[in-house]
Amino acid sequence: MTSTTGRNASVVDEGAFRVTRSIDIAAPVPKVWRAVTDPELLSRWFGRTVLLGDGAGAHGTMSFEGYGAIPIRVEAIDPERSVTYRWNNDDALGVLPAQVEDASSTVFTFTLVAQGEGTQLTVVESGFERTSDPIANLESHRRGWDLELDKLVALIEGER
């Protein structure tokens, strides 16, 4: 299966309650890193991102038109290698809490690896067993990562 850009599509592992997608981007690691960590750039391809603070512990929201503001927090950063976010994006529940609730949230990690002049970006989102409907949320987020990462590629590769 491929995404709309012809890149690999997201894969669901129901047993591990995890969604994974790896893509190759024709841009160096520093450029991709900025796109997955800078709120202004995240807002251009993902959701409108507002973060208070810097580094691990920064928190705020990621908003999507017609969906609302999802609480989000930066869990960990390894500069230009990986960044982990925690959010309460439970599509099946239909209600968004005011702040990140650890007991019902998922985490997603972007990992970047240099490949020649480009970057392999892998996203892994886990923790769906804590959501209101794990299987429905896995499928919803699988589709979401296909759509959102395709937009990231279009943004980055369009700025060459």
Side-chain angles (χ1 to χ4, degrees):
M1 181 183 283
T2 59
S3 69
T4 58
T5 62
R7 289 175 162 75
N8 292 337
S10 299
V11 176
V12 168
D13 180 339
E14 289 183 4
F17 297 100
R18 178 176 56 223
V19 176
T20 303
R21 185 172 187 206
S22 292
I23 58 172
D24 294 329
I25 303 173
V29 166
K31 187 171 187 173
V32 178
W33 177 252
R34 285 189 306 277
V36 299
T37 59
D38 180 320
E40 182 179 330
L41 293 175
L42 278 164
S43 296
R44 291 181 58 196
W45 67 270
F46 201 3
R48 184 172 171 341
T49 304
V50 176
L51 289 175
L52 304 173
D54 291 316
H59 63 280
T61 58
M62 184 173 280
S63 302
F64 297 87
E65 188 174 325
Y67 190 81
I70 299 165
I72 190 166
R73 179 175 66 224
V74 179
E75 293 289 291
I77 292 182
D78 184 359
E80 295 195 358
R81 292 188 182 152
S82 68
V83 59
T84 300
Y85 296 93
R86 178 178 295 277
W87 65 350
N88 281 96
N89 186 9
D90 187 337
D91 297 327
L93 187 59
V95 177
L96 296 171
Q99 60 189 14
V100 174
E101 295 178 359
D102 291 352
S104 59
S105 58
T106 60
V107 294
F108 61 93
T109 300
F110 292 117
T111 303
L112 295 77
V113 176
Q115 292 198 322
E117 294 181 17
T119 304
Q120 181 183 63
L121 175 72
T122 299
V123 64
V124 176
E125 185 175 6
S126 61
F128 289 95
E129 68 275 13
R130 294 187 299 268
T131 66
S132 66
D133 186 341
I135 301 304
N137 282 315
L138 280 164
E139 179 56 25
S140 174
H141 288 230
R142 181 198 62 75
R143 288 188 313 266
W145 287 119
D146 285 348
L147 174 69
E148 300 303 341
L149 292 184
D150 285 355
K151 291 191 299 189
L152 169 63
V153 170
L155 172 70
I156 290 178
E157 292 185 357
E159 290 183 342
R160 289 188 215 178

